[in-house]
Structures are given as C-alpha cells and as structure tokens.
Amino acid sequence: QVQLVQSGAEVKKPGASVKVSCKTSGYTFSSYGIAWVRQAPGQGLEWMGWISPYNGNTNYAQKLQDRVTMTIDTPTTTVYMELKSLGSDDTAVYYCARVLISVGCEADYWGQGTLVTVSS
Amino acid sequence: EIVLTQSPGTLSVSPGERATLSCRASQSVSPTYSVWYQQKAGQSPRLLIYGGSIRAPGIPDRFSGSGSGTDFSLTISRLEPEDFAVYYCQQYDGSLTFGGGTKVEIK
C-alpha cells in the first residue's frame, strides 16, 4: 500500500534551518511528484512547492523560493524539504503529499505531518 | 496568482441535512484543476474530489463537486456524523493555491 512516512518533530531557533524527510513506498517513485504543504497552528493549508522524482524538476511557491530546497534520494525513495532562515512564522505542521503534476496536482496520499517549532 | 475565497467560513448543519460549500477563484480556471479536501482535527488532509467532479477512491457518493469558470462548489447531500470537519478547495495553474477553508460544524 502507498505510504509516506515523515521524520519526527523538530525544535529550532530563529535563523536556523530544518530538513524534513518523507520516505515513500508502495508505488512507482518516478511516476508521481511530491508536494510539500504546511499548516500554521489553527490556520489553513499553504503550498510550499513540489519536486518531480522523474527528472528532479522543482516548482517553489514564490514567497518561499529563496529559502526552500526540495531534493530526492532515488535509491531510498525519500524526498527532503529544507527550509532556511527560520522565523517564528515558520512554526507549522509540514506535510508531504503524492501528486500528479501533469494533471490537477491533486494530492491523493499524505504523510502524517511533521511539527516544526521555531522558538528562541 | 489565483486567489481562492471559500464561503461561508463556518457552516452549521444538522446531521442528515444538505451542505453546499462555495469556492470562488479570482480568475477563471479549468474544472480539471478543481480539487477538494477534507481535514479533521489532528489529521492530514484527505482527497475528496479532483477534476472538478470526480470522487477519489473510497469517497461516498453523498459528496459531489461541480462548477466552472470562477465558481466551484462541494455538496454533501446528507451529512453523516463523520463529515463534520474543515473542507479546503485547491486550484492549480502552475502554482498551487488553497482556499481558506470552510468548517462544517454540528448545529
């Protein structure tokens, strides 16, 4: 069965970086993109970007493109999202999700979420 | 960038009643890229509808999506207790955008 399993919660200081992993299994890795979506406490969903495991292409949300990097490790079918220069407004649950980039980019499977807390 | 506005912010409905949720886009979008999710407290979002009106696998037929142009909607024909949650719409035009969400609560 399709699974996306994310790394554990993180606590970071302002200005630091965080790297969250998303281990995928149960499907052909190169056939689907992986999107990252975050949700601040009590708030809605915010798209951060996606990466294509097929060719490594990325598409980042404009507001984050200077601070976010998404990478893939094909042998382990794991996707990573690194966010730099963290501020308090980056405190959120971060989700990875499987998407069909060529169609409507609907996310049909989601990871369990990773809480990132930014606090001094 | 497309802006999606969902209304109402909160919808109070009794079990067994019908609920219609609205999602308005700031510019015309293709129904192909219209998607709806359900999210319950403490859980990851769940895909309900994609391609404007196609139910995801395992989604009951009481959920339906429709719309075109700038106006899209999600209808839950008869609310079950497990349907009380927050619902988000999504559009994709190269960048992906979510609406602010509609909370469906028990009346």
Side-chain angles (χ1 to χ4, degrees), chain A residues 39 50 59 95 103 105 107 111, chain B residues 33 37 39 44-45 88 90 92 94:
Chain A
Q39 187 170 36
W50 53 250
N59 183 7
Y95 295 101
V103 190
C105 216
Chain B
Y33 302 131
Y37 300 95
Q39 187 180 33
S44 303
Y88 294 95
Q90 174 202 295
Y92 180 59

Side-chain angles (χ1 to χ4, degrees), chain A residues 5-26:
Chain A
V5 179
Q6 299 181 224
S7 49
E10 303 263 12
V11 179
K12 296 292 183 181
K13 294 192 181 302
S17 299
V18 68
K19 193 170 186 178
V20 180
S21 67
C22 175
K23 166 67 177 166
T24 73
S25 60

Side-chain angles (χ1 to χ4, degrees), chain A residues 38-113:
Chain A
R38 69 180 181 177
Q39 187 170 36
Q43 302 302 308
L45 304 173
E46 178 186 14
W47 175 69
M48 301 179 68
W50 53 250
I51 184 167
S52 167
Y54 176 73
N55 54 19
N57 285 353
T58 55
N59 183 7
Y60 300 141
Q62 190 169 9
K63 69 172 283 191
L64 295 172
Q65 62 183 12
D66 292 338
R67 297 196 293 131
V68 68
T69 304
M70 297 176 189
T71 55
I72 56 175
D73 183 60
T74 301
T76 62
T77 64
T78 300
V79 180
Y80 298 90
M81 185 284 299
E82 183 175 25
L83 188 63
K84 304 173 184 174
S85 303
L86 292 169
S88 58
D89 56 352
D90 292 315
T91 293
V93 175
Y94 289 74
Y95 295 101
C96 63
R98 189 182 83 161
V99 295
L100 269 173
I101 298 170
S102 60
V103 190
C105 216
E106 62 268 16
D108 60 352
Y109 285 90
W110 293 68
Q112 82 276 20

Side-chain angles (χ1 to χ4, degrees), chain B residues 6-15 17-22 36 73-77 79 83-87 101-107:
Chain B
Q6 290 190 242
S7 60
T10 302
L11 188 59
S12 298
V13 189
S14 299
E17 290 188 337
R18 179 187 188 93
T20 301
L21 288 62
S22 172
W36 290 89
S73 63
L74 174 72
T75 299
I76 311 170
S77 59
L79 274 153
D83 299 336
F84 293 94
V86 181
Y87 293 82
T102 290
K103 180 180 181 180
V104 178
E105 64 175 23
I106 300 176
K107 187 175 182 180

Side-chain angles (χ1 to χ4, degrees), chain B residues 55-68:
Chain B
R55 279 187 297 277
I59 301 302
D61 60 7
R62 63 180 180 271
F63 290 92
S64 62
S66 64
S68 63

